[in-house]
Amino acid sequence: MSRKSKGVYLYDRPAIIDRKTGKVRKRAVIELIDDGEVIARFPAEDRARAEQAQGERLIVKHNPARRLNQALETILVTDVLAIYATDIVPGLTRPDKSAQRIRQLSEWWAGKSLAEVTGRACRDYLKHREKQPWKSAKPEKTGNAPRMMSPAGVRRELEDLAAAIGHHHGEGHHREIIKVWLPPRGKKRERWLRRREAARLLLAMWRRREVQVHARGPRKGEAVETKKRIWRHLSRFLLIALYTGSRSGVVVSASFKSGPNRAHIDLTTGLMHRLPEDEDEIANKLRPTIPVPERLLAHMRRWHRLGTDDYLVQHDGRPVKEVSKAFARAAKEAALDVGVTPHILRHTTATWLMLLGCQVREAAWYLGMSEKMLEERYGHYHPAFQAEVRARLDGKQAPNVIEFPVAAVFGASNVHKSRAA
């Protein structure tokens, strides 16, 4: 009858001493043993490291997903997603959104192995998700048809799957390379706000009052406006986003205090440190320090003087995490189309900087994007864009001063003049 395994344990092997000379022939060691096999040896004085290795061995043994060099057929996709959720997601900028996408992935991929991650399976996932409404959709309350998942949203989920598989491969849990099929990228957004549209949106945010319904008495069921302005935080969000061109996550984290998860506004130097002190820069989402324009800085100093000492965008005295839903309602009230989202404000700032003739290099740094991206997406709005071509076709010499009408954007009656780059 075979002996019962003791599992993973540490054994203190004593030193071997020569009886004649009294010299130590072999030093004392701590052996890490698993099922009777010595896995590793540590010096007797290094018990802490030996215990740490024992704990790691126990995790690997009792969690098959953590084993090294596994065959693809034995690895569940849900295990790969769970490892990614444990190791990587907590350190991301928006871990709650990533966790939500991983839950969606886990529902469909449950029971499937990594060997089943093929192009056809990914396309089947796309078809499955396109038939599902957004989790936030509430047609029974709004009376509107629910918004369905778009290919762009499904692409973002599959990008998380690809990242999870890449992390699993990088940790050595499997060796084969797996390519995750992704839906084509959506059409680039061309929508941006004209000055009059931005003013209309700001006015709607500033004026909006809370509406309450009488629950009893002769006026029961009657809706009345209160004095409470419920969208004032959106007006701050709009001003900060338009003047700095920052992403939504940076704007809602803007604070007069420096610290973790905060974009610091320094009123003394007039600088906005967009990268929180506890985070590292991300190559494709740069957050450089920028000077705050004087007009916005005057607003910020007034907000600070009126009692705001921490986060600039607050609702009912608490910082907000996102403004998407309230922003959509404000855009609707301002008679703007459904394509106007918080991210449109970043497109607007980039477009305005180009229309005003700002140097591409400076504008790219200010916005936290590459010069290549700025030129490809917004360069055609610059007054110097193909200026010589226009002049030659008009039978003129290449001008030193370029005239470019911006009345439709900024409400000016004259034309914009700037020196060609």
Side-chain angles (χ1 to χ4, degrees):
M1 184 176 178
S2 60
R3 297 175 60 182
K4 185 178 179 180
S5 172
K6 295 182 180 179
V8 181
Y9 66 98
L10 298 176
Y11 174 72
D12 294 302
R13 186 168 296 281
I16 299 177
I17 301 176
D18 191 307
R19 292 182 179 180
K20 293 182 178 179
T21 62
K23 293 183 178 180
V24 178
R25 293 175 58 187
K26 287 187 178 180
R27 294 187 176 184
V29 295
I30 302 175
E31 293 180 343
L32 174 61
I33 301 176
D34 185 6
D35 290 337
E37 181 183 356
V38 178
I39 304 301
R41 292 184 175 89
F42 305 89
E45 62 271 16
D46 201 357
R47 176 162 291 275
R49 194 156 64 94
E51 291 176 347
Q52 180 181 353
Q54 181 189 21
E56 292 175 352
R57 183 71 182 181
L58 286 168
I59 292 174
V60 170
K61 186 172 183 178
H62 295 289
N63 184 358
R66 293 280 185 175
R67 289 179 179 171
L68 302 178
N69 301 325
Q70 301 173 79
L72 296 184
E73 294 77 8
T74 65
I75 305 172
L76 292 175
V77 176
T78 48
D79 286 340
V80 175
L81 293 170
I83 291 174
Y84 183 74
T86 302
D87 296 354
I88 303 299
V89 169
L92 298 179
T93 306
R94 304 185 72 179
D96 53 334
K97 293 292 185 183
S98 298
Q100 183 178 349
R101 291 193 295 269
I102 287 175
R103 285 194 294 271
Q104 292 291 345
L105 288 164
S106 298
E107 289 180 10
W108 194 84
W109 292 95
K112 296 179 174 64
S113 69
L114 276 188
E116 297 177 79
V117 180
T118 62
R120 175 175 291 182
C122 293
R123 287 188 287 274
D124 288 343
Y125 179 76
L126 170 63
K127 294 177 183 177
H128 164 75
R129 290 291 285 137
E130 282 185 318
K131 297 177 182 177
Q132 295 184 323
W134 279 38
K135 288 289 185 182
S136 58
K138 297 178 180 178
E140 65 281 357
K141 289 187 177 181
T142 62
N144 301 323
R147 184 178 179 184
M148 309 303 286
M149 282 297 298
S150 65
V154 181
R155 178 188 173 92
R156 185 66 188 89
E157 293 176 354
L158 289 173
E159 285 175 345
D160 281 332
L161 175 61
I165 294 175
H167 175 68
H168 196 267
H169 177 268
E171 293 295 301
H173 301 312
H174 74 269
R175 292 299 178 189
E176 294 84 353
I177 302 296
I178 298 177
K179 286 285 188 179
V180 176
W181 176 87
L182 299 176
R185 290 187 180 275
K187 184 180 178 181
K188 295 179 180 179
R189 295 181 182 179
E190 293 291 339
R191 183 72 168 95
W192 51 278
L193 297 180
R194 275 63 176 174
R195 187 184 182 96
R196 63 180 181 276
E197 292 178 317
R200 200 163 71 235
L201 182 57
L202 179 61
L203 191 62
M205 293 172 174
W206 183 259
R207 288 180 172 178
R208 177 66 172 179
R209 293 178 182 269
E210 179 186 49
V211 177
Q212 292 188 352
V213 179
H214 284 282
R216 61 176 67 90
R219 301 177 66 184
K220 183 178 179 180
E222 181 183 346
V224 294
E225 288 187 343
T226 69
K227 293 183 178 180
K228 184 178 180 180
R229 308 279 185 171
I230 59 174
W231 285 349
R232 289 288 171 90
H233 67 293
L234 291 180
S235 61
R236 289 190 180 188
F237 177 92
L238 178 67
L239 289 172
I240 297 172
L242 281 178
Y243 274 107
T244 67
S246 300
R247 297 176 179 85
S248 299
V250 173
V251 176
V252 297
S253 69
S255 171
F256 291 126
K257 296 180 179 178
S258 61
N261 303 315
R262 284 174 167 84
H264 179 219
I265 306 296
D266 191 334
L267 294 179
T268 303
T269 61
L271 296 177
M272 181 179 186
H273 303 274
R274 292 191 281 202
L275 183 66
E277 60 184 28
D278 63 328
E279 295 182 20
D280 296 325
E281 193 67 276
I282 302 174
N284 63 339
K285 292 187 183 295
L286 299 176
R287 289 167 287 178
T289 298
I290 60 170
V292 180
E294 285 295 331
R295 290 181 178 178
L296 178 60
L297 193 60
H299 285 296
M300 290 179 169
R301 285 173 174 151
R302 178 172 56 83
W303 298 337
H304 187 266
R305 189 170 61 251
L306 293 175
T308 302
D309 60 354
D310 196 353
Y311 290 99
L312 279 70
V313 181
Q314 297 185 26
H315 184 59
D316 287 339
R318 296 188 298 271
V320 298
K321 292 184 178 180
E322 59 180 40
V323 297
S324 301
K325 294 181 181 178
F327 192 95
R329 291 194 292 270
K332 184 177 180 180
E333 187 157 317
L336 299 176
D337 54 83
V338 293
V340 176
T341 64
H343 195 68
I344 289 294
L345 302 180
R346 180 168 166 83
H347 290 294
T348 299
T349 307
T351 303
W352 285 4
L353 288 176
M354 291 295 94
L355 286 169
L356 292 169
C358 185
Q359 292 184 11
V360 172
R361 183 179 180 182
E362 288 199 12
W365 174 264
Y366 188 82
L367 294 166
M369 67 174 66
S370 67
E371 294 180 39
K372 182 174 181 287
M373 173 66 74
L374 185 63
E375 287 184 326
E376 288 180 353
R377 295 289 298 275
Y378 309 100
H380 52 282
Y381 291 113
H382 198 283
F385 179 68
Q386 297 188 348
E388 185 175 354
V389 173
R390 298 200 306 268
R392 298 300 184 190
L393 291 176
D394 288 336
K396 304 176 183 177
Q397 280 194 326
N400 291 326
V401 176
I402 301 166
E403 296 185 351
F404 190 81
V406 292
V409 181
F410 299 101
S413 58
N414 58 345
V415 295
H416 173 75
K417 296 182 179 182
S418 66
R419 294 199 175 275

